[in-house]
Amino acid sequence: MTRPFAPGDQVLLLDTKHRRHLVTLAPDGEFHSHAGVLRHNDLLGREEGVTALTTLGARLVAVRPTLGEYILEMPRGAQVIYPKDLGPILLLADIYPGARVLESGVGSGALTMTLLRAVGPDGFVTGYELREDFATRARRNVEALLGTDLPLRVEVRDAYEGIDETGLDRILLDLPEPWRVVAHAERALRAGGIVLAYLPTIGQVARLREELAGSAFGMAQSLEVMQRGWHVDAQSVRPDHRMVAHTGFLTTARLLSTSA
């Protein structure tokens, strides 16, 4: 997106201490903080990367948020899958343009918008979410970043009770008991399709792998992703004291043909 800022745009404001604030621009709108008031009109019509001053003279840099930045700053009802896991999910599940994907456990919509970016306008994402309030918030979060004309359908339903779709390319599960979906996934996926589950504990992973071992799925693997930043300031170069360590385990398997 190369056009100047316009009403309705999501904008990330960064102050001199690297604090971040996500705002939606509106004519005559205002952003209030301890550093003063920034009038939205001072950003509307200007280019991304501009520095604007608050009423107290504080400097705020305005940019459009990346997908990862938006996910970390957006309103949430449920815990989101973090960007460090979202990237590997796209590769491990091999999400490609045109893919038909089912996501169960939509939550706040972080994975949903990541999938939509990957499948493109020729693909389709179906979301199952047990709680209607989560489904509503997720849809609102997704549309705030990606717009309303999306290849997306979100249904309030329980994947444990079954999957209506057939011929799916991929199924992604963010559920506490994904082993209860394995049999449904066998019927819903095409041959060679991939199922991926995101789980917080290794006990859940072990139970899922046990279920997968007795199914038509094969090539199963489980892993976790660690992320450690580095402090780089002139001659001071060292690992950060803090890191994004364990968030969840990723388990994938492929549906194999049972014919000889």
Side-chain angles (χ1 to χ4, degrees):
M1 188 177 295
T2 58
R3 61 172 174 76
F5 289 131
D9 282 355
Q10 296 288 332
V11 172
L12 194 67
L13 301 176
L14 295 85
D15 64 22
T16 55
K17 293 187 177 180
H18 307 294
R19 288 174 293 210
R20 302 179 177 204
H21 310 276
L22 184 67
V23 301
T24 304
L25 294 180
D28 301 320
E30 294 181 338
F31 168 69
H32 293 252
S33 73
H34 69 283
V37 178
L38 177 68
R39 297 179 179 86
H40 291 197
N41 289 347
D42 292 340
L43 295 178
L44 291 172
R46 303 185 70 181
E47 299 292 336
E48 183 176 2
V50 67
T51 297
L53 299 179
T54 70
T55 52
L56 296 180
R59 299 167 65 87
L60 295 174
V61 176
V63 295
R64 288 188 173 89
T66 64
L67 177 59
E69 290 167 339
Y70 179 76
I71 286 170
L72 293 176
E73 302 296 334
M74 71 183 186
R76 61 181 70 173
Q79 181 65 31
V80 299
I81 298 178
Y82 282 90
K84 82 172 183 70
D85 294 311
L86 291 172
I89 283 173
L90 291 182
L91 290 178
L92 289 169
D94 190 35
I95 306 299
Y96 57 87
R100 295 180 61 233
V101 182
L102 172 72
E103 175 198 3
S104 186
V106 171
S108 297
L111 179 57
T112 310
M113 62 187 73
T114 304
L115 293 172
L116 286 167
R117 278 270 193 95
V119 303
D122 296 327
F124 199 87
V125 176
T126 300
Y128 286 6
E129 173 52 54
L130 198 59
R131 291 182 50 170
E132 186 168 2
D133 57 335
F134 284 2
T136 299
R137 180 181 292 275
R139 183 89 200 198
R140 192 160 52 236
N141 283 339
V142 171
E143 292 180 351
L145 185 71
L146 302 181
T148 57
D149 186 17
L150 300 168
L152 171 67
R153 183 177 70 254
V154 178
E155 302 179 14
V156 179
R157 58 174 299 170
D158 188 349
Y160 296 155
E161 297 178 356
I163 297 172
D164 289 343
E165 289 72 21
T166 59
L168 292 169
D169 298 302
R170 307 290 185 256
I171 294 177
L172 281 71
L173 306 172
D174 184 5
L175 304 169
E177 299 178 344
W179 48 89
R180 295 173 59 185
V181 186
V182 169
H184 304 319
E186 284 188 41
R187 293 187 289 271
L189 280 169
R190 62 167 174 80
I194 296 175
V195 63
L196 180 146
Y198 177 85
L199 289 165
T201 73
I202 197 62
Q204 291 168 296
V205 173
R207 178 65 184 86
L208 174 59
R209 292 293 296 268
E210 179 183 4
E211 190 72 22
L212 289 170
S215 72
F217 286 96
M219 303 172 65
Q221 62 174 327
S222 301
L223 58 86
E224 63 177 326
V225 179
M226 305 288 191
Q227 176 180 307
R228 183 177 70 177
W230 278 68
H231 170 86
V232 180
D233 183 10
Q235 298 302 309
S236 175
V237 180
R238 55 170 172 74
D240 283 339
H241 295 306
R242 296 183 178 183
M243 66 180 292
V244 184
H246 176 72
T247 49
F249 297 98
L250 305 176
T251 296
T252 60
R254 299 193 71 170
L255 184 62
L256 305 179
S257 175
T258 55
S259 59

